[in-house]
Amino acid sequence: MQFSYLALRITDTCPLECAHCCVESGPWRTTAMDLDDARSYVRQAHAINPRSVLAFTGGEPFTRFRLMRDIAETAFELGMPHSTITSAVWCKSEAFARERLAELQRVGLRLVNISYDSFHEPWVTPERIRNCITAAVNLGLPVSVLGSQTRESRGPAELLGGFLDGLPGVEVGYGPVQPNGRAALIPPESLLLEDRSGENPHCPTPQQLLVETDGSVYPCCSAGGDYRTLRLGDARETALAGLRAGVEQQAWFRIITEHGFAALEQIVRRYYPEVRFPTTYTYTCHLCRLVLGEGQLSAIVQDALARYEADRISETLGVWGKLQMALATSATAGERS
């Protein structure tokens, strides 16, 4: 799976305090990515794959608008387009939204992702969402309006009503809330849990790298699950190419991206026959956290993977040893003849 998508979480700051926020952003969090570091990440991503694209996430990226624009300028010089995600809380008017989006469009903005659902509703008025959508549409920018839902919450289509009907270049969708961060406090009975017995989900984001504000690197957004297994290292200390190559060599990554979680479960059961992976979860990312996050199952999976890798090495060495013996025997026989 070739790397092609760099996501930068440029800030943890957000004016909102949504109850479902998996990364626990808020106005009290003030960290932001260093500009020189970010520019270096962009150049490294382009060197790995010149066709890679850039995405800005947060927090609310527009709280660090100049930082986002300056990083985007570097990407634009390399021919790397970008997208951004936003709550649109900053869109006080359509004119202001158009001004900001146009400034980013000049340096490669190609998609605007807007998050809106019942969890955003206490903090963002529908008018500001409409301002953002209208401004983007008038600039010819594609728009994706996405919401996260529980059994009781409402998505963007319900909240915005007929406003979205017939708008060109606007897609609307939703996904289930992932129970990480503040969302871990949402009662399980409210989550869109489904029995997915018999399915074999694969990692849906095998081509990504995410860099956090502090330089921590993950192979995906990890749905906010900042857990040890997925942390690849520090981009301020190790080149992105090395971190990406490292994860591609990890057994768990190869298995869940190429063969799926059912294959990973089969490997674990070689060493722990009684183990079964959960069959009820919201989405693949939730299953990934249950299997590779913290807890007893994760410890079992890590031990099984270590034993699996040791057995593979032993088998390889055994084959190589037999080959060497065969070659030595053949050489001896040749000398005698």
Side-chain angles (χ1 to χ4, degrees):
M1 297 292 181
Q2 185 182 26
F3 162 78
S4 61
Y5 185 94
L6 175 68
L8 298 181
R9 192 182 309 284
I10 62 171
T11 182
D12 295 313
T13 304
C14 183
L16 285 57
E17 301 177 46
C18 301
H20 75 319
C21 184
C22 61
V23 295
E24 300 187 81
S25 295
W28 62 89
R29 300 190 66 181
T30 59
T31 54
M33 186 173 286
D34 179 81
L35 175 58
D36 289 338
D37 286 343
R39 284 172 166 164
S40 174
Y41 306 150
V42 168
R43 294 185 183 107
Q44 291 178 60
H46 181 264
I48 297 171
N49 181 1
R51 298 177 65 85
S52 59
V53 298
L54 173 65
F56 292 107
T57 184
E60 170 55 71
F62 282 82
T63 62
R64 299 288 189 276
F65 178 77
R66 287 187 177 85
L67 173 63
M68 179 166 54
R69 182 202 58 200
D70 291 347
I71 299 168
E73 285 178 348
T74 298
F76 185 65
E77 291 169 1
L78 297 169
M80 182 186 297
H82 75 272
S83 65
T84 186
I85 191 166
T86 182
S87 66
V89 68
W90 53 276
C91 297
K92 56 188 178 182
S93 69
E94 181 187 333
F96 183 68
R98 183 186 177 98
E99 176 186 318
R100 285 292 167 97
L101 293 176
E103 191 169 350
L104 291 176
Q105 187 180 33
R106 285 192 290 272
V107 289
L109 177 63
R110 296 296 179 263
L111 172 65
V112 180
N113 293 295
I114 302 172
S115 296
Y116 191 54
D117 46 45
S118 291
F119 296 99
H120 291 84
E121 193 178 18
W123 312 96
V124 187
T125 64
E127 179 185 8
R128 298 206 171 198
I129 302 295
R130 290 193 291 267
N131 288 341
C132 191
I133 294 172
T134 303
V137 168
N138 288 339
L139 289 168
L141 287 168
V143 179
S144 178
V145 188
L146 303 174
S148 297
Q149 290 188 265
T150 62
R151 298 191 187 282
E152 297 83 15
S153 67
R154 296 183 297 166
E158 297 171 274
L159 293 172
L160 295 171
F163 170 76
L164 295 171
D165 295 344
L167 282 178
V170 179
E171 294 186 359
V172 181
Y174 78 94
V177 166
Q178 304 299 308
N180 300 327
R182 287 199 290 272
L185 300 176
I186 295 174
E189 59 269 21
S190 294
L191 299 174
L192 296 177
L193 296 166
E194 294 185 29
D195 183 355
R196 301 176 184 270
S197 302
E199 296 184 10
N200 179 27
H202 290 54
C203 173
T205 55
Q207 298 171 313
Q208 294 189 11
L209 283 178
L210 168 75
V211 186
E212 300 273 8
T213 57
D214 65 355
S216 296
V217 180
Y218 295 85
C220 61
C221 74
S222 69
D226 185 10
Y227 46 98
R228 185 174 55 231
T229 301
L230 264 64
R231 187 179 186 277
L232 308 181
D234 189 332
R236 296 171 302 182
E237 300 173 355
T238 307
L240 291 183
L243 295 173
R244 177 65 193 187
V247 73
E248 289 177 355
Q249 293 169 8
Q250 292 289 323
W252 62 265
F253 183 79
R254 295 196 309 270
I255 294 164
I256 66 174
T257 57
E258 297 176 12
H259 307 291
F261 279 86
L264 179 59
E265 182 180 13
Q266 290 177 359
I267 289 173
V268 173
R269 290 183 61 193
R270 293 185 192 179
Y271 308 96
Y272 295 91
E274 73 284 359
V275 167
R276 298 291 185 277
F277 282 5
T279 56
T280 300
Y281 46 91
T282 59
Y283 183 59
T284 308
C285 298
H286 184 201
L287 175 63
C288 184
R289 180 162 181 82
L290 293 172
V291 171
L292 296 174
E294 306 298 331
Q296 183 179 9
L297 177 56
S298 175
I300 290 173
V301 170
Q302 295 306 317
D303 181 71
L305 284 170
R307 294 165 67 177
Y308 169 71
E309 287 290 84
D311 287 347
R312 288 184 63 198
I313 292 171
S314 178
E315 290 171 5
T316 301
L317 291 175
V319 170
W320 177 240
K322 291 178 181 178
L323 178 59
Q324 286 182 313
M325 289 181 62
L327 290 172
T329 300
S330 176
T332 301
E335 291 174 358
R336 289 175 179 173
S337 63

